[in-house]
Amino acid sequence: MRTKHAKNEEETKEIAKSLADFLKEGSVLLLEGNLGAGKTTFTKGIAEGLGIKEVIKSPTYTLIREYQSGRLPLYHMDVYRLEEVGGDELGLEEYFQGEGVSIVEWATFIPEDLPKEFLKIKLVPMGEDFSERDLVFEPVGAQYEQIVANYFEDK
């Protein structure tokens, strides 16, 4: 487990943007944090790092948003609304094993649908206005341990 500190939204995006350099086809990131913790801001940074030009919006009501214009596709998922039903019918494994990077918000609601390996990133807001945050990187599996090691070594 490794931690980065961001003083504002722009630093959160920069951390994510630089992480994107280490991601490849089939990379799965799980973002954890309360409402307003910066999950969509982090996703915007990943998208920027992948070269995606579209405006990144929260997929709260659509569950999954796909962006295809970068060096890898980005699949941004918000599975909060699946708390009661799970993700069995969505074909999530096709995304996780696909050609792009999958970012999942609220993954705790679909534990049985997740791949065995992933990178969990906890966003922990701090300060009076919660604009600062710690980003806690928790790799699960050898490939994600390597991504985190390479990322922190590079920074």
Side-chain angles (χ1 to χ4, degrees):
M1 192 166 23
R2 306 282 297 266
T3 302
K4 285 268 189 186
H5 182 77
K7 294 180 181 157
N8 52 45
E9 282 191 8
E10 197 54 44
E11 284 189 14
T12 300
K13 281 181 20 182
E14 284 302 315
I15 290 168
K17 181 179 176 181
S18 60
L19 177 63
D21 292 341
F22 299 93
L23 302 177
K24 59 184 194 232
E25 285 186 15
S27 291
V28 177
L29 307 180
L30 310 183
L31 301 185
E32 289 191 358
N34 294 332
L35 291 172
K39 296 180 297 293
T40 299
T41 298
F42 188 88
T43 301
K44 288 177 181 179
I46 292 287
E48 193 174 320
L50 293 174
I52 292 171
K53 303 297 184 211
E54 293 109 316
V55 174
I56 304 300
K57 298 178 185 174
S58 176
T60 301
Y61 298 104
T62 57
L63 298 180
I64 302 171
R65 290 192 185 269
E66 296 184 25
Y67 304 93
Q68 302 286 336
S69 65
R71 81 171 167 85
L72 294 170
L74 174 63
Y75 312 124
H76 185 196
M77 308 169 193
D78 182 333
V79 297
Y80 183 80
R81 301 206 179 298
L82 300 179
E83 178 179 14
E84 303 293 325
V85 297
D88 291 346
E89 305 299 316
L90 289 177
L92 295 176
E93 65 282 345
E94 293 176 29
Y95 287 101
F96 299 149
Q97 297 169 9
E99 298 175 354
V101 173
S102 297
I103 296 181
V104 184
E105 298 183 22
W106 302 102
T108 54
F109 294 133
I110 58 162
E112 64 285 342
D113 297 304
L114 296 173
K116 289 184 168 89
E117 297 188 359
F118 49 79
L119 175 56
K120 182 189 299 183
I121 302 169
K122 292 182 181 178
L123 292 94
V124 183
M126 316 179 106
E128 290 180 23
D129 63 357
F130 298 118
S131 61
E132 290 189 47
R133 60 189 48 91
D134 276 344
L135 292 92
V136 182
F137 292 71
E138 296 181 23
V140 175
Q143 69 174 320
Y144 294 100
E145 289 172 9
Q146 191 62 53
I147 286 171
V148 170
N150 291 343
Y151 172 71
F152 278 86
E153 182 179 295
D154 191 56
K155 303 299 158 210

